[in-house]
């Protein structure tokens, strides 16, 4: 069942170009060059006052990226929280609010409790799930299925990138409905989404090089991941993946937060993974990287050809992603942090598919 792959996780990482392509294909209207949902929605994006997102773990981090997209491309304010905090916080919810839940399994107890709270408080209920027969799907009025096939590895990979692709498409659908996006801008974003499967495939081609970088990381006891804007949650995801499968302590930080504390940790023993493909904010991230370099930190720069040319010399090692539109760059960068975590854990001989203490579906709080 694993085919040529050593672990299900690696197989699932390699399934991502196809899985993401299927998601994008479900939203793209090829003749109109716009994005649309296949089934009628139980709410109207144009009428929403705000969106409240709840999820756990990696699914939560997909939602954090989604917040950047919905706020930017649909001008829809988004609140997001992990299910376990949201459910007991009992936040006031605005009329005409959409509550969106993200879950691979569709059975996560805290996410489900957050859903039931929102349903009882008059919100429109929608979910992004992989398991379409799940409780969360059943209790949602609108369901956006991932259809990425069963995810066997405990550490989520293809569910994460298909969640991201779904949220990216939905943010454009919402932007169109809310009159924020039209014409050339929509065309530009549709094209960016269509290039995504190919870009993910290219990001997978540098796997051997990432495995080499991972050899170095496997000797460290701590690692730091930095990113800015929608790449900040990718830094958090990189740290989560690394700690859960390799058991190396890792933290993700917003690059701008570095000087507010974590820079105290930086010395020549700590790998600092800086996620900075070229975009309007990458120069800022690079100046944070300079601060790390000045303290002897071992920098792994995840960037694109342009970024590698201008800033690569500052890094110990570079992972070069294909050049893509900044809109979809977080999805492409996610591939690198998955491979980095996978190969680090594999070097250490860890049980990648069944990490200690973790379960695939967390149905108790
Ligand atoms: C991390 C991971 C977990 C899940 C979390 C939510 O790799 O897999 O953090 O993302 O337990 O699970 P679902 O998506 O099933 O609600």
């Amino acid at each position: 069942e694993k085919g040529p792959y050593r672990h299900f996780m690696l197989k699932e990482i390699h399934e991502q170009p196809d899985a993401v392509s299927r998601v994008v294909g479900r939203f793209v209207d090829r003749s109109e060059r716009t994005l649309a949902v296949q089934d009628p929605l139980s709410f109207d994006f144009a009428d929403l006052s705000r969106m409240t997102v709840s999820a756990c773990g990696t699914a939560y981090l997909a939602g954090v990226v989604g917040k950047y997209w919905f706020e930017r491309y649909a001008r829809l304010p988004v609140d997001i929280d992990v299910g376990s905090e949201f459910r007991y916080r009992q936040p006031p919810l605005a009329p005409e609010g959409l509550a969106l839940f993200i879950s691979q399994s569709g059975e996560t107890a805290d996410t489900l409790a957050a859903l039931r709270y929102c349903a009882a408080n008059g919100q429109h209920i929608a979910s992004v799930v992989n398991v379409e027969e799940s409780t969360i799907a059943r209790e949602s009025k609108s369901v956006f299925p991932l259809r990425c096939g069963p995810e066997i590895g405990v550490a989520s990979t293809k569910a994460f990138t298909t969640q991201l692709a779904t949220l990216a498409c939905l943010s454009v659908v919402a932007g169109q409905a809310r009159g924020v996006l039209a014409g050339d801008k929509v065309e530009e974003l549709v094209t960016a989404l269509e290039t995504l499967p190919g870009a993910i495939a290219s990001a997978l081609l540098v796997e051997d090089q990432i495995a080499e970088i991972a050899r170095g990381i496997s000797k460290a006891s701590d690692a730091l991941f930095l990113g800015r804007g929608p790449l900040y949650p990718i830094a958090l995801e990189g740290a989560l993946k690394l700690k859960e499968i390799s058991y190396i302590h890792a933290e993700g930080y917003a690059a701008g937060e570095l000087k507010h504390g974590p820079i105290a940790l930086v010395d020549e023993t700590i790998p600092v993974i800086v996620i900075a493909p070229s975009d309007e904010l990458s120069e800022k991230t690079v100046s944070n990287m300079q601060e790390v370099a000045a303290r002897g930190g071992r920098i792994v720069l995840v960037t694109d050809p342009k970024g590698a040319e201008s800033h690569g010399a500052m890094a110990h090692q570079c992972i070069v992603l294909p050049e893509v539109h900044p809109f979809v760059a977080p999805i492409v960068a996610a591939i690198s942090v998955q491979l980095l975590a996978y190969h680090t854990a594999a070097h250490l001989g860890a049980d990648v598919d069944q990490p200690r203490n973790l379960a695939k579906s967390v149905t108790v709080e």
Side-chain angles (χ1 to χ4, degrees):
E1 261 197 88
K2 279 180 274 196
Y5 299 105
R6 246 179 92 194
H7 295 101
F8 280 107
M9 182 180 174
L10 190 58
K11 171 173 177 266
E12 288 159 5
I13 286 174
H14 282 267
E15 284 169 357
Q16 293 177 110
D18 285 345
V20 166
S21 166
R22 287 196 300 272
V23 170
V24 173
R26 287 202 293 275
F27 283 93
V28 175
D29 182 327
R30 285 186 196 284
S31 53
E32 302 281 329
R33 306 293 302 149
T34 58
L35 294 184
V37 288
Q38 286 185 327
D39 300 323
L41 294 173
S42 56
F43 58 89
D44 189 337
F45 273 119
D47 299 335
L48 296 181
S49 59
R50 62 193 305 122
M51 182 161 95
T52 303
V53 184
S54 273
C56 299
T58 289
Y60 162 77
L61 295 175
V64 181
V65 181
K67 174 181 166 79
Y68 285 88
W69 287 331
F70 276 91
E71 291 188 342
R72 173 163 191 161
Y73 296 113
R75 303 304 298 156
L76 179 62
V78 178
D79 292 316
I80 173 155
D81 208 344
V82 291
S84 56
E85 285 300 313
F86 182 90
R87 65 181 293 189
Y88 295 115
R89 199 156 49 87
Q90 311 221 325
L93 297 169
E96 278 307 319
L98 170 66
L100 181 74
F101 304 90
I102 308 168
S103 176
Q104 188 285 129
S105 63
E107 301 295 348
T108 301
D110 285 323
T111 307
L112 179 59
L115 182 155
R116 288 178 175 160
Y117 174 80
C118 291
N121 284 272
Q123 300 294 290
H124 298 289
I125 305 294
S127 59
V128 174
V129 296
N130 195 33
V131 181
E132 290 174 69
E133 315 73 54
S134 62
T135 313
I136 288 175
R138 276 202 313 274
E139 297 193 18
S140 301
K141 290 271 165 52
S142 288
V143 177
F144 306 104
L146 301 175
R147 299 193 183 139
C148 63
E151 194 180 57
I152 311 290
V154 164
S156 186
T157 52
K158 62 179 178 174
F160 180 60
T161 47
T162 51
Q163 285 159 357
L164 289 175
T166 303
L167 294 170
C169 291
L170 282 175
S171 72
V172 178
V173 171
Q176 293 171 158
R178 295 169 70 79
V180 180
L181 297 176
D184 289 352
K185 189 67 193 173
V186 172
E187 166 77 33
E188 177 189 320
L189 299 175
V190 170
T191 305
L193 288 163
E194 286 175 333
T195 61
L196 195 47
I200 294 174
S202 310
L204 289 169
L205 290 177
V206 294
E207 181 167 0
D208 288 349
Q209 194 206 336
I210 294 179
E212 203 40 53
I213 296 173
R215 190 183 298 280
I217 293 180
S218 69
K219 301 191 179 87
S221 53
D222 308 271
L224 208 52
F225 287 75
L226 302 176
R228 205 177 259 271
L231 297 157
Y232 161 47
I234 301 302
L236 296 175
E237 170 64 2
L240 176 59
K241 281 286 94 90
L242 187 68
K243 70 188 130 194
E244 71 181 327
I245 61 170
S246 76
Y247 316 131
I248 291 174
H249 168 240
E251 293 201 60
Y253 267 96
E257 279 289 293
L258 187 68
K259 56 170 73 65
H260 299 288
I263 198 158
L265 288 173
V266 172
D267 62 17
E268 47 294 327
T269 67
I270 187 166
V272 181
I273 296 94
V274 180
I275 305 168
S278 319
D279 63 19
E280 59 202 7
L281 297 176
S282 51
E283 287 300 323
K284 305 251 175 223
T285 310
V286 165
S287 71
N288 302 126
M289 184 170 92
Q290 264 155 349
E291 294 157 15
V292 174
R295 286 156 187 86
R298 239 175 53 209
I299 297 165
V300 176
L301 175 61
V302 181
T303 187
D304 51 16
K306 216 160 92 193
E309 197 184 306
S310 37
H311 317 296
M314 220 187 297
H316 280 62
Q317 286 155 315
C318 269
I319 298 172
V320 184
L321 306 169
E323 194 184 334
V324 291
H325 192 293
F327 173 40
V328 298
I331 308 181
V332 181
I335 307 302
S336 308
V337 299
Q338 292 170 349
L339 286 173
L340 208 51
Y342 172 80
H343 284 287
T344 304
H347 280 311
L348 292 168
D351 186 355
V352 175
D353 286 334
Q354 289 289 337
R356 68 186 185 207
N357 309 339
L358 295 178
K360 184 68 189 161
S361 185
V362 184
T363 54
V364 290
E365 65 173 297

